[in-house]
C-alpha cells in the first residue's frame, strides 16, 4: 500500500505548522515509521530547522515544475527514518509560474505518486496562505491536520479554512478528510482557552485532539540549533507533547483504516 499523505494547514501564520511537521515526523520515526517531511513554504523554516541550507541543489520548486525530479531532490536527515523534501526561496515565484502549466494543482500529487512506496507517512508543511501551494498539498493529501493556537483570533479564519477543504474535497480530491485539530501554545491558565477549545470542538465535532502542546521555550529554541525537540531537549515538555501527539496520530490513523 502507498503512503498516507497529511497536509498540515492553517492560513494563519505562526500557529505551529512547521514545528508540528518536524516534531510529529520525528516522533513517528521514533515509533518505527518511515516518514517524509515536505517543506512547501518559501520561508523554508522546516528545511533550515533540520540544518539544511537552501539553494544548494534541487528543491521543492524544481519538483513542482518537473515532478520527475522528486527522487533526486529527496534528502536524508540526521534522524533515522526521516527524509526531507527541502524548500528554498525559489518557491516565492512558483504561483505565477504555475499559472501557465497543465494540471497546476496536481504537481505535488504527481511527484509524491512516484515515491509513494518509500514512506509510511508524508507530512506536508504548508505556507500561511490558501494559495496554489496549499491547494497542491490538499490535492495530494489523504488527510488535513490543523494546528491552532486557542485564542480569539483563531476562530476568524476557521470557516474559510474548512470551506477550502470542503471545496477541494468536492471538486478535486474526494478522498480528503480532516484528521484533526491540534492546539498549540496551549495555556490552561487563560480562561479564554477553555471557551475557544469548546467552540472549535463544536465546529469540528470529534476532531479536536486530546494532545495539546503547551507553550514551551525549548520548542522555540530548537530550530536555531537545527534540531528537532527530541535531540535538542529530550526531557522537555515539548518532547513529551510531541511524542503524545505521535501516539494519538497512530491511534487516529488506525481508526481510519477501519
Ligand atoms: N509550543 C510552542 N511553544 C513555544 N514556541 C513555539 C511552540 N510551537 C512553535 N513555537 C515557535 O513559534 C514560532 C511559530 O511556530 P511555527 O514556525 O511552527 O509556526 P508556523 O505555523 O509554521 O508559522 P508560518 O505560518 O510562518 O509558517 C516559531 O518560532 C516556533 O519555534
Ligand atoms: Mg511554517
Amino acid at each position: 500500500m502507498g503512503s498516507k499523505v497529511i497536509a498540515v494547514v492553517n492560513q494563519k501564520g505562526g500557529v505551529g505548522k512547521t514545528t508540528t511537521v518536524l516534531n510529529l515526523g520525528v516522533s513517528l520515526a521514533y515509533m518505527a515509521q518511515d516518514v517524509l517531511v515536505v517543506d512547501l513554504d518559501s520561508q523554508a523554516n522546516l528545511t533550515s530547522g533540520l540544518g539544511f541550507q537552501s539553494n544548494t541543489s534541487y528543491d521543492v520548486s524544481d519538483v513542482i515544475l518537473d515532478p520527475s525530479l522528486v527522487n533526486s531532490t529527496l534528502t536524508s536527515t540526521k534522524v533515522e527514518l526521516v527524509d526531507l523534501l527541502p524548500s528554498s526561496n525559489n518557491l516565492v515565484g512558483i504561483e505565477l509560474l504555475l499559472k501557465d502549466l497543465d494540471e497546476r494543482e496536481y504537481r505535488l500529487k504527481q511527484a509524491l505518486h512516484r515515491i509513494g512506496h518509500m514512506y509510511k507517512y508524508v507530512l506536508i508543511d504548508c505556507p500561511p496562505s490558501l494559495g496554489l501551494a496549499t491547494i497542491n498539498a490538499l490535492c495530494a493529501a489523504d488527510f488535513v491536520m490543523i494546528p491552532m493556537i486557542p485564542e480569539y483570533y483563531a476562530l476568524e479564519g476557521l470557516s474559510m479554512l474548512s470551506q477550502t477543504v470542503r471545496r477541494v474535497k468536492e471538486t478535486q480530491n474526494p478522498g480528503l478528510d480532516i484528521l484533526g485539530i491540534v492546539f498549540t501554545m496551549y495555556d490552561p491558565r487563560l480562561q479564554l482557552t477553555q471557551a475557544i477549545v469548546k467552540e472549535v470542538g463544536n465546529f469540528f465535532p470529534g476532531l479536536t485532539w486530546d494532545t495539546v502542546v503547551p507553550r514551551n521555550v525549548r520548542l522555540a529554541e530548537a530550530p536555531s540549533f537545527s534540531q528537532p525537540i527530541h535531540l535538542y531537549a529530550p526531557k522537555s515538555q515539548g518532547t513529551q507533547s510531541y511524542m503524545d501527539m505521535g501516539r494519538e496520530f497512530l491511534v487516529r490513523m488506525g481508526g481510519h483504516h477501519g
Side-chain angles (χ1 to χ4, degrees), residues 10-20 41 43 45 125-129 147 184-186 213-223 238 242:
N10 192 332
Q11 78 273 28
K12 275 203 184 297
V15 298
K17 294 179 291 292
T18 302
T19 305
T20 295
D41 187 355
Q43 297 176 101
N45 293 335
D125 184 20
C126 292
S129 85
T184 58
M185 306 192 220
Y186 187 90
V213 184
R215 219 171 261 286
N216 178 252
V217 67
R218 298 289 178 210
L219 280 169
E221 290 165 357
Y242 274 103

Side-chain angles (χ1 to χ4, degrees), residues 103-175:
E103 310 245 276
R104 57 191 179 162
E105 283 130 335
Y106 300 102
R107 294 283 164 151
L108 183 64
K109 184 188 173 90
Q110 290 161 4
L112 294 181
H113 189 73
R114 293 169 172 265
I115 53 170
H117 53 286
M118 294 171 62
Y119 304 98
K120 189 80 187 286
Y121 297 113
V122 177
L123 306 180
I124 307 172
D125 184 20
C126 292
S129 85
L130 297 173
L132 208 39
T134 296
I135 297 298
N136 260 268
L138 292 175
C139 287
D142 301 291
F143 295 103
V144 178
M145 263 181 88
I146 305 172
M148 190 182 291
I149 303 176
E151 61 190 15
Y152 177 72
Y153 294 109
L155 300 171
E156 279 186 334
L158 264 194
S159 57
M160 189 188 283
L161 178 53
S162 65
Q163 266 173 44
T164 302
V165 173
R166 198 177 321 123
R167 184 168 47 77
V168 169
K169 183 178 169 75
E170 281 167 8
T171 62
Q172 288 150 316
N173 182 8

Side-chain angles (χ1 to χ4, degrees), residues 214-236:
R215 219 171 261 286
N216 178 252
V217 67
R218 298 289 178 210
L219 280 169
E221 290 165 357
S224 55
F225 294 87
S226 303
Q227 285 183 336
I229 191 67
H230 309 61
L231 298 179
Y232 176 65
K235 293 187 183 348
S236 65

